[in-house]
Amino acid sequence: VATLKTSVNTDSLVSNIYLFADGIPAISTATIEEEKPYTAYTQTEEGAIIKADKYNYYLFGNKSSEANTIFATDDSVYALRLARGYSQGSAAMIIDINKESVINTLSSIDVGEGGHVALVTFDGTEFYADGTSENQNTIFTGSTFYQDAVANEKTSGMEYVTYDGQQYLFLYSKIVDYNAVICTLIPQSVIVAQASSIKTITVLLVVIAVFILVVALVVIAVWLGVLILVLIVVLHERISFRSYRIRNR
């Protein structure tokens, strides 16, 4: 576990990581007080999703108060939660993505004054470039244009839409494997003044979507390796302790 904590402290992308099940000590970078963390987590909205589908990773927002209570964290610590359940046994792995790294990524998209940019996660939470997040009074998820974009088979696209009585250009790019979408609304006035920059923003959205996907895959691969190493160390210590007890009976 010490190795796990040291690795997290040197990784700017990850704020915390948890591997847990009922009945055995959790391997995590933060204290989990819950006696049955898997049962408790799968009773939350996001936990129920990974319990129902133990073969895929899901990208959630940071607004689940029930889940945050279990892991003694809150939305000031992380921006996104990458989670997966496991088909063999009642266990789950969670990786909380550092807030600053997501802010820096979204801030690279310049949508001009009055524009909006957000990363919308599977549970409908919108994380904005200014570091705030929302799952109630959202900009994108409740709109028809967002729902149409999610429903179609295109991985990216654009269209003119009306939002809050004003004309905007809506651009989106899907992070397909995690059912998340990067969205922007660019005011028409900005489009007229900076028409040449729209192509750049379109390309940038796709690049960032691919970047987040690749980063997620790398993070998963690295941390699975670290977790396996920790498990080997823990098992070795337990076997050594048992051998010592047997020899000294």
Side-chain angles (χ1 to χ4, degrees):
V1 177
T3 303
L4 199 62
K5 290 183 177 179
T6 301
S7 299
V8 167
N9 289 336
T10 59
D11 192 335
S12 62
L13 292 173
V14 177
S15 60
N16 276 305
I17 182 169
Y18 314 85
L19 180 63
F20 57 93
D22 290 345
I24 59 174
I27 298 174
S28 68
T29 55
T31 302
I32 301 177
E33 299 290 349
E34 184 67 47
E35 291 184 5
K36 295 184 176 181
Y38 180 80
T39 296
Y41 180 59
T42 53
Q43 289 174 351
T44 68
E45 184 176 347
E46 63 183 51
I49 293 169
I50 68 163
K51 182 181 180 180
D53 178 8
K54 296 183 177 182
Y55 297 95
N56 293 293
Y57 286 92
Y58 286 88
L59 195 62
F60 299 117
N62 57 4
K63 305 301 284 187
S64 175
S65 58
E66 296 89 351
N68 287 343
T69 298
I70 295 169
F71 304 116
T73 188
D74 58 57
D75 60 6
S76 67
V77 178
Y78 73 102
L80 308 171
R81 170 165 290 155
L82 191 62
R84 181 188 170 176
Y86 287 93
S87 56
Q88 296 182 347
S90 298
M93 182 177 76
I94 286 176
I95 300 173
D96 285 347
I97 307 300
N98 182 277
K99 198 169 186 176
E100 287 301 316
S101 63
V102 181
I103 291 173
N104 292 338
T105 301
L106 294 181
S107 296
S108 65
I109 305 172
D110 183 9
V111 292
E113 185 177 354
H116 304 280
V117 57
L119 195 159
V120 185
T121 55
F122 180 78
D123 58 347
T125 301
E126 297 182 2
F127 188 88
Y128 307 110
D130 63 0
T132 60
S133 58
E134 184 60 65
N135 62 354
Q136 297 295 326
N137 300 313
T138 56
I139 295 172
F140 296 97
T141 54
S143 68
T144 302
F145 55 83
Y146 174 82
Q147 296 297 333
D148 290 344
V150 171
N152 71 47
E153 296 181 356
K154 295 179 180 178
T155 56
S156 63
M158 68 173 73
E159 66 171 317
Y160 282 97
V161 300
T162 300
Y163 171 74
D164 201 21
Q166 302 294 323
Q167 284 289 110
Y168 290 84
L169 180 62
F170 169 57
L171 297 95
Y172 67 91
S173 184
K174 298 176 183 177
I175 309 172
V176 180
D177 287 5
Y178 304 114
N179 295 292
V181 188
I182 302 174
C183 301
T184 66
L185 283 175
I186 305 174
Q188 191 174 40
S189 58
V190 173
I191 296 168
V192 173
Q194 304 176 21
S196 61
S197 68
I198 301 305
K199 185 176 180 180
T200 301
I201 294 174
T202 304
V203 173
L204 186 59
L205 281 182
V206 175
V207 169
I208 289 176
V210 173
F211 170 75
I212 292 174
L213 176 61
V214 171
V215 165
L217 291 173
V218 171
V219 167
I220 290 167
V222 169
W223 287 109
L224 279 176
V226 172
L227 286 169
I228 290 170
L229 176 62
V230 171
L231 284 171
I232 291 172
V233 171
V234 171
L235 288 172
H236 177 73
E237 290 177 348
R238 290 182 179 179
I239 291 170
S240 299
F241 178 71
R242 288 178 181 175
S243 299
Y244 173 81
R245 289 186 65 184
I246 292 172
R247 288 197 305 267
N248 289 275
R249 282 182 177 176

